[in-house]
Amino acid sequence: GIVKCCNAWSRDIAGKKVYVQHKIKEEEDSIWEQLGRPGSRGYFFLCGSKQPEKDVYRTLVGIMQSKGGMTEAQAQAKMEELQAAGRYVTEVY
């Protein structure tokens, strides 16, 4: 399978803050193919600080909407389905 680790260091580039949700957005095609597309079997793990959790979730919902043509409610339901199946996991503190 594919393993992709997207690290974001918001203070690495002076004057430019790059957060994990930005890195996720850059990978939206792959994330859709592995996580959202019907029949996909990928997993998504968010580990680390709790701070970006809501922004990451919103970004993933947005990917489901833009790539999958889902309404917000459908995208939310897809995320809940992924979470229930253990395919969207957060390990945050």
Side-chain angles (χ1 to χ4, degrees), residues 5-87:
C5 180
C6 297
N7 295 311
W9 311 106
S10 62
R11 307 293 189 264
D12 274 2
I13 302 171
K16 183 177 181 185
K17 295 185 179 186
V18 178
Y19 296 106
V20 68
Q21 61 268 25
H22 300 135
K23 294 292 197 178
I24 290 168
K25 185 73 172 143
E26 290 173 4
E27 299 291 331
E28 67 182 339
D29 290 334
S30 177
I31 288 172
W32 168 251
E33 286 299 314
Q34 300 301 319
L35 203 64
R37 181 184 47 78
S40 64
R41 298 182 358 202
Y43 290 77
F44 184 96
F45 297 91
L46 176 65
C47 305
S49 172
K50 185 169 182 61
Q51 191 170 357
E53 185 176 23
K54 289 179 183 177
D55 291 328
V56 166
Y57 185 86
R58 278 194 293 269
T59 301
L60 291 170
V61 167
I63 291 170
M64 299 301 163
Q65 290 178 272
S66 65
K67 295 294 179 182
M70 297 179 186
T71 65
E72 185 173 356
Q74 290 170 322
Q76 295 271 356
K78 177 65 175 182
M79 291 301 297
E80 290 170 10
E81 173 189 312
L82 291 169
Q83 193 167 22
R87 294 181 54 209

